[in-house]
Amino acid sequence: MPICSYPQRIVVELTPRCDLSCAMCPRHYISETNGTMREKLWRKIIDEVANVSPQAIVLPFWRGESLLHPDFIFLLEYALEKNIRIHIATNGIQVKEETLGLLLKCEFVTFSIHTLKAYVHAQELLVLRKGGKPVIQVSFVREEKRTENLLKQIVHSKDLKGFDSARIYEPHSKNGVFGKAARSELTPRTFCLKLKNTLVIAHDGSISRCNHIWLTEKSININDVSIKDAWESAYMRSIRNGYPDAQCQSCDQWIGHTTGEAYSMDEGKVVHKIYSSSAVRNA
């Protein structure tokens, strides 16, 4: 069970606020739905990553919509000036002209398509990009009726409507149980890859073991300790050594990729993959 000496992926929640209220979202079962990350903390995180592990990926999203942070543009500019590898997910509603310019500088952008407006903004970014960068993905949640037709149009087209990939996720929780998706036909359980390579930092600096369990450990705060110290803390060691404990036991997102399906382009063909299965077929 080799653990990375420093997290390769650092999820940073700029805000748990959201401008949508999707029925399947776990936010209906948590109390922490407000607040914003302070600039000082964001700078601390970015500076450490730039100095200690510049190849690590920073993912500014989690329980809310990052673009709702009042200083989103400044914060993202600061990270990009430090040559940080930014992967970002957005519901696309708050995207504006100046935001598009910043998203073009990211390494990977995924639009969570819950509205037609989000899809239009994803198309706008697609038109603006040059040289195939950034990688642009559109994602959907299974059985969400309001965007079902858009999903069908994309995955049934010969080139995914120009997008690099389309992702269909299982709901992140089931009846409020974090990490419990609808799919159950999984391969034999192995050690969770997220515990090997990913640290989650909430807007207030507290940490979480995983982006699929929307609970934080308040005794550790990145305002006071380094990312490396948090990563090597007794709290994280106890979770790894006790895996799967009561919280991880009910989770079915440990396979490396979040459960669901993915469509991607490969040598001019659409490849369809089902995560939690070894099945890969050309569409």
Side-chain angles (χ1 to χ4, degrees), residues 56-75:
I57 296 170
V58 173
L59 305 97
F61 63 88
W62 189 26
R63 299 173 296 186
E65 170 54 50
S66 292
L67 273 67
L68 287 174
H69 193 292
D71 297 320
F72 172 78
I73 291 176
F74 172 80
L75 298 182

Side-chain angles (χ1 to χ4, degrees), residues 5 44 89 175 192 254:
S5 60
K44 181 178 187 291
N175 298 326
C192 180
W254 44 267

Side-chain angles (χ1 to χ4, degrees), residues 176-199:
V177 179
F178 299 110
K180 185 65 175 176
R183 187 181 295 276
S184 60
E185 60 271 22
L186 296 173
T187 53
R189 191 172 193 131
T190 57
F191 189 83
C192 180
L193 291 180
K194 291 182 175 62
L195 290 180
K196 292 183 180 182
N197 62 26
T198 303
L199 183 69

Side-chain angles (χ1 to χ4, degrees), residues 224-255:
D224 306 315
V225 301
S226 68
I227 294 171
K228 185 170 181 61
D229 286 343
W231 182 244
E232 296 175 343
S233 65
Y235 167 72
M236 291 299 297
R237 287 201 307 272
S238 67
I239 291 171
R240 297 182 190 113
N241 292 337
Y243 180 83
D245 63 9
Q247 288 190 47
C248 288
Q249 184 64 53
S250 64
C251 178
D252 52 15
Q253 304 286 355
W254 44 267
I255 57 174

Side-chain angles (χ1 to χ4, degrees), residues 42-59:
W42 173 257
R43 285 176 175 268
K44 181 178 187 291
I45 292 168
I46 296 304
D47 289 349
E48 180 179 341
V49 174
N51 292 328
V52 178
S53 185
Q55 288 304 306
I57 296 170
V58 173
L59 305 97

Side-chain angles (χ1 to χ4, degrees), residues 84-282:
I84 297 295
R85 299 175 63 193
I86 296 290
H87 290 199
I88 189 167
T90 174
N91 65 31
I93 294 176
Q94 301 296 326
V95 171
K96 299 177 176 64
E97 184 176 351
E98 56 189 348
T99 315
L100 285 170
L102 278 179
L103 294 180
L104 285 170
K105 298 177 182 180
C106 296
E107 186 173 280
F108 176 88
V109 182
T110 181
F111 285 82
S112 300
I113 308 297
H114 302 290
T115 63
L116 178 58
K117 188 174 184 179
Y119 183 60
V120 170
H121 287 155
Q123 290 178 310
E124 290 174 348
L125 189 67
L126 198 59
V127 170
L128 290 172
R129 76 169 176 176
K130 298 178 181 179
K133 296 181 180 181
V135 173
I136 304 175
Q137 174 180 280
V138 284
S139 65
F140 300 81
V141 177
R142 189 179 303 282
E143 298 179 358
E144 187 177 12
K145 298 301 181 184
R146 57 185 173 180
T147 55
E148 195 171 52
N149 287 335
L150 287 174
L151 171 61
K152 290 178 179 178
Q153 291 174 28
I154 293 169
V155 300
H156 292 158
S157 69
K158 293 182 179 180
D159 63 350
L160 300 179
K161 296 291 186 179
F163 295 104
D164 297 292
S165 59
R167 195 71 159 82
I168 307 170
Y169 291 104
E170 301 289 350
H172 289 322
S173 68
K174 186 176 182 181
N175 298 326
V177 179
F178 299 110
K180 185 65 175 176
R183 187 181 295 276
S184 60
E185 60 271 22
L186 296 173
T187 53
R189 191 172 193 131
T190 57
F191 189 83
C192 180
L193 291 180
K194 291 182 175 62
L195 290 180
K196 292 183 180 182
N197 62 26
T198 303
L199 183 69
V200 180
I201 305 172
H203 70 284
D204 61 359
S206 58
I207 69 170
S208 175
R209 70 174 70 189
C210 172
N211 58 300
H212 290 295
I213 298 178
W214 286 17
L215 305 172
T216 60
E217 173 55 45
K218 300 298 184 183
S219 68
I220 300 174
N221 197 292
I222 303 300
N223 280 291
D224 306 315
V225 301
S226 68
I227 294 171
K228 185 170 181 61
D229 286 343
W231 182 244
E232 296 175 343
S233 65
Y235 167 72
M236 291 299 297
R237 287 201 307 272
S238 67
I239 291 171
R240 297 182 190 113
N241 292 337
Y243 180 83
D245 63 9
Q247 288 190 47
C248 288
Q249 184 64 53
S250 64
C251 178
D252 52 15
Q253 304 286 355
W254 44 267
I255 57 174
H257 293 279
T258 305
T259 53
E261 301 176 56
Y263 292 80
S264 59
M265 298 301 300
D266 184 14
E267 297 183 351
K269 295 182 179 180
V270 176
V271 175
H272 178 204
K273 185 168 184 178
I274 301 174
Y275 292 116
S276 75
S277 167
S278 59
V280 180
R281 61 181 182 275
N282 289 334

